[in-house]
Amino acid sequence: MITVEKLTKVYKTKRGVKTVALDNVNLSFGNSGLVFILGKSGSGKTTLLNLLGGLDGPTSGTISVDGKVIDNSKQKQLDEYRNKYIGFVFQEYNLIPEYTVAQNIALALELQNGRDGGRVDEVLRKVDLVGRDGNTLGDRKVTELSGGQKQRVAIARALVKDTAVILADEPTGALDTKTGRQLYELLKQLSKDRLVIVVTHDKNSAREFGDRIIEIADGKVINDDNRLQSVEIVSSEKTVVSGGKSGLPVKRAFLMGLAGLKCKILRLVLSIVLCVISFAGFGFSLTALNADNYSAELASMSSKNMHCAILKSENKKYERTNNNLLVEVSKPFTRFQLDAIAEYGNGAPIKITENEDSVMAYLGITGDEGESEELNSLYYNIMFSESGLIELNPETGLKDANLKADRRFKNKDLCRLPENKDEIAITDLHADAFIEFGYLGDDDETVRKINTPDDLIGKKIGFKTICGVFSTEIDKEYFYENRDKVALTEEDSYMRKYFSGAAKSIITYSFGYCGEFDYESEVSDVLLRIKGSASETKKFFKKLGYEDGDLTCSVNIVTVFSAFLLEESVMDIISKAGIISSVVLVITSVLILMNFLSVNFQYRQRTLGILRALGASKADITAVCLWESFIITAINFVLSLIIILTVCLCVNHAMFVSVFNFGILQFVILASLCFAVSAVATIIPAVKLLKKSPVDIIKSCN
């Protein structure tokens, strides 16, 4: 039973002009019967129907159902009232055009968390939506139906909810006389077990079919002809709040969000392209922002499965000279640093010592006439004294340094680490030079051809005898292919190009006999086997840096990739550019998404308004909108990720070093930003839309 007391509705225009649609209306409705509300256009009859259906709220007065007041401030109660108590038949049908007949009807059922179970087919037959073949028209698109059939679909949608009240606004307004009469006969039949209220200006139909006729003029009831006064009013079994779970299912919200992308395909594609550019630019800027030489070298080592690097002491201290001048002096590793390195490497660090004697090997380049001037200068040697020897224990050295015999050995048993101070082991890079140019002893002018590392065993390098040739971890073919990318001056010879720059790293060190290691000795270079992730290793290196009075301690890492690194000043410029670009691109992506979603929401207002009228809550509408933006964002994110990774890969490949590394942190930040932007871009237009009442949303589309 519905009761309205002192119901008043005043509309106010943008200019502040007030229009009274209803003025102090008092009415009471039973639980069954067909009630007609008559009146001219603008009399307030449709306003009354909207208020009874919870599609709009009164300016003052109350609406009670079975003694319970419908409080418009309680949105959840109002949504459930529309969902479970009211079935609305709109004058303009308000069907969703992209849905079939059955889907339009099932949508009302889904909002009640109900299952079809044949009910959709049942109500279709009840409203006579059956084809000549005896099957229902459930699979038809609503755009294929006539006006009368669409109106029957609207009634079926109201009927499938099994509500206590059906409200119909001008249900025959667009129908011919015969179809209109059939429709009233159907409503009359339905009114036997529920209340049916019809708004119309058709007095003849009202007199023929109506159990009660209410006439309204200028917002007031001027006549109430109640033919049901003798009928006993029984309390309805339907309640305002049923207590059952209701709302749009997740699957339906997802499908509706997906369907929304079909509205403006060209605009969607353009928005995705622009957003992908923005997100990809942001992701790359974020990568550039976090780029640094430590990370670049460690990432490059990881990508090439390298583990060994040289740690160089960068400890600095200012000391006074005899002339009382302050000069910067390089200091060896401190005891703290050596202890930390030993702990990291599970043992004493492998010391690199400077050679007191000149240790060199002569290459077999004699400089015949006719050869280039550059080759004429390359008659002599590879100098090992520049870098020194790595002290390796023969028992553990191979494991510690991750060394293996050169794969070109015919007899790998010939390859071993030095067992005394007169022996030396070299790397395969040195062997490459001998194989290319030949071997020339320091006491001999005969060039000996070197075919395999076996031929080098027993040969002399200065006063030391070669006892082994070990493979380095680098992909040498790739290195040789890219070494020309190292900038060289005109004075740089071919030999310097061959053995300096990127080559001047662990691969140019040779391996000597392991002497007694003493912490008290001055150690400036250490061979370290890198372990763990790049981020963990970076933290370890930073741990080695500290200040102790006027002593500033830090370390530098030297690998085969060192020569390819960008200058620190360039890295700073890249980072600063990354910050600015990130901010600009974030704002751009927000604006692009907001623009697209706002336009799309505007285009889909009718669908969203229909959902609200059927009882969908604001949360349901927001879920549909969020799913739509989530799908767009997921597409944007995946495409952006592919572009970022491709660009990083191409740039790093071109530079021969992994300067730009899109890691887990960048992935999380980009994903968080993408979906945060999506949420913001959705919620703002959604909130603006949901401030309107369901009837206002629908009206704005008419």
Side-chain angles (χ1 to χ4, degrees):
M1 181 175 180
I2 301 178
T3 303
V4 298
E5 296 179 357
K6 299 180 180 180
L7 201 63
T8 301
K9 179 65 178 179
V10 178
Y11 291 107
K12 186 184 292 185
T13 65
K14 292 181 179 180
R15 296 182 178 181
V17 179
K18 295 181 179 180
T19 302
V20 179
L22 288 179
D23 184 13
N24 204 29
V25 173
N26 296 280
L27 286 170
S28 182
F29 300 92
N31 296 317
S32 63
L34 180 56
V35 179
F36 281 84
I37 300 177
L38 303 179
K40 296 180 181 179
S41 297
S43 62
K45 58 184 186 299
T46 297
T47 300
L48 175 60
L49 201 70
N50 290 335
L51 294 175
L52 291 174
L55 299 181
D56 204 355
T59 305
S60 63
T62 61
I63 301 174
S64 303
V65 179
D66 293 339
K68 296 181 180 179
V69 176
I70 300 299
D71 189 345
N72 284 277
S73 65
K74 296 180 180 179
Q75 192 62 55
K76 186 176 180 181
Q77 184 195 45
L78 196 60
D79 292 336
E80 193 157 4
Y81 170 68
R82 288 197 304 270
N83 187 3
K84 295 193 174 183
Y85 199 85
I86 299 293
F88 217 106
V89 181
F90 298 92
Q91 180 181 3
E92 299 295 331
Y93 319 128
N94 284 337
L95 302 174
I96 300 175
E98 57 266 25
Y99 279 13
T100 64
V101 169
Q103 287 173 333
N104 268 279
I105 297 170
L107 183 59
L109 199 58
E110 288 177 353
L111 281 167
Q112 293 183 325
N113 200 35
R115 296 184 178 181
D116 187 341
R119 287 180 62 185
V120 172
D121 191 72
E122 181 184 334
V123 296
L124 283 172
R125 293 184 182 279
K126 196 167 187 176
V127 297
D128 197 28
L129 281 172
V130 182
R132 293 180 180 179
D133 57 359
N135 295 320
T136 62
L137 305 182
D139 293 334
R140 292 269 193 95
K141 286 283 188 182
V142 294
T143 51
E144 301 173 3
L145 303 180
S146 65
Q149 288 174 322
K150 289 179 181 179
Q151 195 63 280
R152 288 175 183 272
V153 174
I155 293 173
R157 183 177 59 188
L159 190 59
V160 78
K161 295 166 65 174
D162 194 25
T163 57
V165 181
I166 291 179
L167 305 178
D169 185 11
E170 298 282 5
T172 62
L175 306 179
D176 57 62
T177 304
K178 181 180 177 182
T179 306
R181 184 176 181 81
Q182 291 174 345
L183 186 59
Y184 281 132
E185 288 174 349
L186 174 61
L187 293 175
K188 182 69 173 179
Q189 183 182 358
L190 295 176
S191 69
K192 291 178 180 179
D193 59 357
R194 72 194 70 220
L195 176 63
V196 179
I197 302 176
V198 177
V199 163
T200 184
H201 58 272
D202 185 358
K203 293 183 179 181
N204 293 330
S205 296
R207 292 191 185 98
E208 182 178 356
F209 296 100
D211 298 313
R212 181 180 178 185
I213 301 173
I214 300 171
E215 293 186 64
I216 295 181
D218 298 326
K220 295 182 179 182
V221 176
I222 59 173
N223 186 38
D224 187 353
D225 181 9
N226 190 351
R227 306 175 186 181
L228 293 178
Q229 288 180 348
S230 60
V231 179
E232 181 182 358
I233 296 177
V234 182
S235 179
S236 174
E237 294 180 358
K238 306 292 182 183
T239 57
V240 180
V241 179
S242 65
K245 184 179 179 182
S246 62
L248 199 64
V250 174
K251 181 180 178 181
R252 177 55 61 189
F254 170 77
L255 292 175
M256 294 193 79
L258 186 62
L261 302 182
K262 301 176 184 178
C263 296
K264 298 279 186 179
I265 297 294
L266 187 60
R267 191 180 187 89
L268 171 65
V269 172
L270 181 61
S271 297
I272 287 177
V273 170
L274 294 175
C275 279
V276 166
I277 293 172
S278 296
F279 284 139
F282 170 78
F284 190 76
S285 298
L286 190 65
T287 305
L289 177 62
N290 288 275
D292 63 81
N293 285 341
Y294 260 140
S295 299
E297 286 199 81
L298 293 172
S300 301
M301 291 178 69
S302 176
S303 67
K304 295 296 180 183
N305 198 29
M306 294 182 65
H307 302 283
C308 292
I310 303 300
L311 285 188
K312 286 185 170 291
S313 167
E314 294 293 325
N315 298 346
K316 306 290 183 183
K317 187 174 183 179
Y318 284 95
E319 295 182 353
R320 292 190 178 277
T321 64
N322 294 333
N323 297 327
N324 204 30
L325 295 175
L326 280 176
V327 294
E328 188 180 74
V329 179
S330 296
K331 292 292 182 179
F333 284 116
T334 65
R335 179 63 179 267
F336 166 78
Q337 290 173 322
L338 289 173
D339 285 344
I341 295 170
E343 182 181 352
Y344 176 89
N346 296 322
I350 301 172
K351 176 184 173 185
I352 298 176
T353 57
E354 294 293 335
N355 293 311
E356 296 179 359
D357 302 309
S358 175
V359 181
M360 60 183 65
Y362 290 91
L363 296 173
I365 301 176
T366 56
D368 296 333
E369 290 186 9
E371 290 182 337
S372 68
E373 183 179 346
E374 183 179 346
L375 281 181
N376 278 324
S377 67
L378 301 180
Y379 67 92
Y380 51 99
N381 58 54
I382 307 171
M383 296 188 65
F384 295 88
S385 57
E386 261 188 69
S387 301
L389 295 173
I390 297 174
E391 294 185 346
L392 287 179
N393 188 318
E395 295 181 5
T396 61
L398 293 176
K399 179 180 177 182
D400 290 343
N402 196 35
L403 293 178
K404 295 179 181 178
D406 191 316
R407 59 183 175 81
R408 294 170 293 186
F409 266 107
K410 292 181 179 179
N411 182 6
K412 291 187 178 180
D413 292 338
L414 295 175
C415 182
R416 60 177 174 81
L417 286 173
E419 296 177 352
N420 58 67
K421 293 183 179 181
D422 295 330
E423 294 180 329
I424 190 171
I426 61 177
T427 69
D428 52 359
L429 181 64
H430 301 124
D432 288 347
F434 285 118
I435 290 172
E436 182 175 352
F437 300 115
Y439 172 82
L440 181 67
D442 58 355
D443 57 350
D444 195 345
E445 294 185 0
T446 303
V447 177
R448 293 182 174 85
K449 184 171 179 58
I450 303 297
N451 295 311
T452 67
D454 306 64
D455 299 333
L456 288 171
I457 301 300
K459 299 292 190 294
K460 289 281 187 179
I461 292 180
F463 58 85
K464 293 181 180 289
T465 303
I466 299 175
C467 63
V469 179
F470 290 95
S471 293
T472 53
E473 297 174 311
I474 190 172
D475 181 347
K476 290 196 288 108
E477 292 182 5
Y478 181 66
F479 167 69
Y480 288 145
E481 179 185 341
N482 288 276
R483 66 186 175 192
D484 293 341
K485 296 173 184 175
V486 181
L488 297 170
T489 63
E490 293 181 1
E491 291 78 21
D492 284 318
S493 67
Y494 174 79
M495 186 54 64
R496 287 194 62 190
K497 188 175 181 179
Y498 202 95
F499 286 102
S500 66
K504 190 177 179 182
S505 63
I506 183 173
I507 61 175
T508 61
Y509 285 84
S510 39
F511 307 97
Y513 175 73
C514 182
E516 187 69 25
F517 186 81
D518 183 5
Y519 268 1
E520 301 302 324
S521 65
E522 294 189 351
V523 180
S524 296
D525 293 8
V526 165
L527 174 66
L528 183 68
R529 180 177 173 82
I530 303 298
K531 62 181 183 179
S533 67
S535 59
E536 292 173 342
T537 306
K538 184 178 175 182
K539 288 179 183 178
F540 165 69
F541 289 149
K542 287 189 174 181
K543 174 184 174 183
L544 298 178
Y546 66 98
E547 290 189 6
D548 184 10
D550 56 352
L551 177 65
T552 302
C553 299
S554 61
V555 298
N556 187 29
I557 183 174
V558 181
T559 71
V560 69
F561 305 99
S562 298
F564 294 98
L565 295 174
L566 298 173
E567 296 290 336
E568 289 294 341
S569 58
V570 177
M571 297 294 282
D572 288 339
I573 292 172
I574 291 175
S575 294
K576 290 175 182 177
I579 295 173
I580 297 171
S581 301
S582 297
V583 174
V584 172
L585 290 167
V586 167
I587 296 172
T588 303
S589 58
V590 171
L591 294 176
I592 292 171
L593 264 181
M594 282 187 65
N595 177 264
F596 170 78
L597 292 171
S598 294
V599 172
N600 222 36
F601 291 166
Q602 189 73 24
Y603 184 80
R604 299 180 65 214
Q605 274 196 72
R606 175 178 286 277
T607 298
L608 300 177
I610 292 170
L611 279 175
R612 290 286 284 139
L614 292 176
S617 65
K618 290 183 177 181
D620 291 330
I621 302 302
T622 304
V624 172
C625 298
L626 283 174
W627 271 119
E628 181 178 340
S629 61
F630 178 87
I631 294 168
I632 296 173
T633 305
I635 295 171
N636 290 337
F637 177 70
V638 171
L639 292 178
S640 300
L641 196 59
I642 292 172
I643 292 174
I644 293 167
L645 294 176
T646 302
V647 170
C648 287
L649 184 65
C650 292
V651 172
N652 291 341
H653 186 274
M655 296 177 66
F656 190 59
V657 62
S658 300
V659 175
F660 300 104
N661 302 293
F662 190 81
I664 294 176
L665 178 61
Q666 287 77 23
F667 178 91
V668 172
I669 292 175
L670 180 63
S672 301
L673 176 81
C674 285
F675 291 102
V677 166
S678 171
V680 171
T682 301
I683 290 172
I684 291 176
V687 168
K688 183 179 179 182
L689 178 69
L690 292 173
K691 283 183 178 179
K692 300 179 181 179
S693 66
V695 69
D696 287 336
I697 296 175
I698 295 173
K699 277 182 179 179
S700 63
C701 305
N702 293 334

